[in-house]
């Protein structure tokens, strides 16, 4: 439905659906729009007033007021079992066909039940250290395309096969960041058919990450440039083998060009990357 609004909450190994036909009815919600701004203002040393020294988003706080429906006692008991600040949870919010996800920790939970004959009203305060919503699933891009071989008119002779195309490695890919803020990527480079020496990945105009390693056929490296997750692994093992000039870049909103290269064996570098778009709210 166009006007559908629902929330699926994963917490403590339990899943709770808030919406039509779900475990809980939504009474009110706040905090799904833009998170709180954090401004740092410094005084001018010799002039009147001051200046803005820093601007950023603070952690997001989401408040849900819900009421159990259906088997209210069972829903209430399941929720109580999951409520712990030690549990990290996720919200999947659907609004008019748009789905976005965010992670949270429980900040507080309040139950109000005037008597045993009416369902409890439950107020949950959720703290999201990362204030941005993301797409529910990763988007993946493969640096591999089909190159056509057939041209017309063409000649053939008995016993000769006809190839309609081959796989070739493309060393560049474009991504349009349609989100509201910068994003990192997870790039995987696998040696396929030969040896790759010192592979690298570059964002045009913003820097590169270059590794000093030799990938034998079948070997694989992963470069993660996401904030809070920056890392390099070789065949699943974390390594510190990147060039000291490397920049674990972020892709700003708009069109971005990513290039995969190597000192030698670039044609054997079978690369792909994945990303999650990030949004101010929903």
């Amino acid at each position: 439905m166009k006007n559908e609004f629902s929330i699926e909450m994963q917490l403590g190994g339990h899943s709770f659906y808030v919406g039509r036909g779900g475990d809980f009815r939504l009474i009110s919600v706040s905090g799904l729009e833009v998170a709180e701004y954090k401004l740092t203002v410094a005084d001018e040393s010799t002039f009147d007033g001051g200046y803005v020294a820093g601007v950023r988003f603070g952690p997001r706080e989401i408040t849900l007021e819900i009421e159990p429906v259906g088997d209210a006692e069972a829903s209430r008991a399941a929720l109580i079992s999951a409520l712990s600040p030690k549990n990290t949870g996720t919200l999947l919010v659907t609004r008019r066909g748009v789905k976005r996800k965010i992670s949270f920790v429980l900040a507080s939970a309040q139950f109000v039940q005037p008597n045993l004959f009416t369902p409890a009203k439950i107020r949950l305060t959720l703290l999201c250290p990362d204030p941005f919503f993301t797409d529910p699933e990763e988007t993946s891009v493969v640096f591999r395309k089909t190159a056509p071989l057939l041209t017309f008119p063409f000649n053939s002779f008995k016993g000769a096969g006809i190839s309609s195309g081959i796989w070739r490695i493309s060393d560049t890919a474009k991504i349009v960041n349609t989100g509201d803020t910068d994003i990192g990527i997870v790039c995987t480079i696998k040696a396929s058919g030969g040896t790759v020496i010192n592979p690298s990945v570059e964002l045009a105009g913003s820097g590169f990450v270059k590794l000093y390693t030799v990938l034998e056929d079948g070997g694989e490296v992963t470069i993660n440039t996401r904030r809070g997750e920056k890392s390099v692994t070789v065949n699943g093992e974390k390594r510190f083998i990147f060039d000291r000039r490397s920049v674990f870049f972020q892709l700003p909103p708009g069109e971005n060009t990513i290039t995969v290269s190597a000192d030698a064996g670039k044609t054997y570098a079978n690369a792909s990357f994945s990303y999650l778009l990030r949004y101010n709210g929903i």
Side-chain angles (χ1 to χ4, degrees):
M1 295 178 63
K2 280 189 174 182
N3 294 325
E4 176 191 4
F5 182 89
S6 64
I7 298 174
E8 184 177 345
M9 181 170 64
Q10 301 283 344
L11 181 64
H14 296 269
S15 179
F16 305 98
Y17 188 81
V18 182
R20 182 173 300 186
D23 311 292
F24 295 89
R25 179 175 69 87
L26 181 65
I27 299 173
S28 67
V29 61
S30 64
L32 298 183
E33 296 76 24
V34 179
E36 181 183 356
Y37 303 141
K38 297 287 186 180
L39 303 179
T40 302
V41 180
D43 290 334
E44 291 282 4
S45 58
T46 57
F47 302 104
D48 295 330
Y51 61 92
V52 177
V55 182
R56 65 182 181 86
F57 285 106
R60 180 187 296 269
E61 189 174 276
I62 297 175
T63 301
L64 296 176
E65 191 172 358
I66 57 178
E67 181 180 83
V69 294
D71 190 342
E73 281 301 308
S75 297
R76 174 181 173 277
L79 181 60
I80 290 174
S81 177
L83 293 178
S84 169
K86 297 180 181 180
N87 292 332
T88 299
T90 60
L91 289 185
L92 178 63
V93 181
T94 301
R95 186 183 189 124
R96 295 181 176 239
V98 175
K99 292 188 177 184
R100 291 177 185 169
K101 184 173 66 174
I102 194 167
S103 298
F104 69 87
V105 292
L106 185 68
S108 69
Q110 297 175 316
F111 286 67
V112 178
Q113 189 172 13
N115 56 66
L116 295 176
F117 305 101
T118 58
K121 288 182 172 56
I122 306 160
R123 184 182 179 87
L124 302 177
T125 302
L126 314 177
L127 182 67
C128 309
D130 183 344
F132 295 100
F133 281 86
T134 69
D135 287 331
E137 303 291 340
E138 301 261 359
T139 298
S140 297
V141 176
V142 179
F143 288 78
R144 188 187 281 269
K145 298 178 181 177
T146 302
L149 288 181
L150 286 183
T151 58
F152 293 89
F154 68 90
N155 296 317
S156 63
F157 54 90
K158 186 175 180 181
I162 299 176
S163 298
S164 61
I166 61 171
W167 286 106
R168 68 174 173 84
I169 299 298
S170 173
D171 61 357
T172 63
K174 290 188 183 295
I175 170 178
V176 180
N177 179 358
T178 57
D180 300 323
T181 189
D182 298 353
I183 59 172
I185 65 169
V186 178
C187 180
T188 301
I189 303 172
K190 184 175 182 178
S192 181
T195 301
V196 179
I197 299 175
N198 300 341
S200 64
V201 58
E202 179 179 3
L203 173 62
S206 295
F208 63 87
V209 180
K210 180 175 181 175
L211 309 183
Y212 290 117
T213 188
V214 176
L215 286 181
E216 302 294 343
D217 189 12
E220 182 177 284
V221 297
T222 300
I223 302 168
N224 187 342
T225 75
R226 292 173 177 167
R227 288 194 178 102
E229 302 178 15
K230 296 175 183 178
S231 63
V232 170
T233 63
V234 179
N235 297 323
E237 180 183 347
K238 280 194 175 183
R239 302 280 298 278
F240 294 92
I241 54 171
F242 48 85
D243 188 300
R244 62 185 178 83
R245 298 168 297 169
S246 294
V247 177
F248 285 77
F249 51 77
Q250 302 291 297
L251 281 61
E255 185 174 278
N256 299 270
T257 300
I258 297 174
T259 304
V260 170
S261 189
D263 287 349
K266 183 174 73 171
T267 56
Y268 303 123
N270 188 351
S272 63
F273 69 90
S274 61
Y275 62 89
L276 283 169
L277 294 178
R278 288 154 59 85
Y279 307 92
N280 289 343
I282 182 170

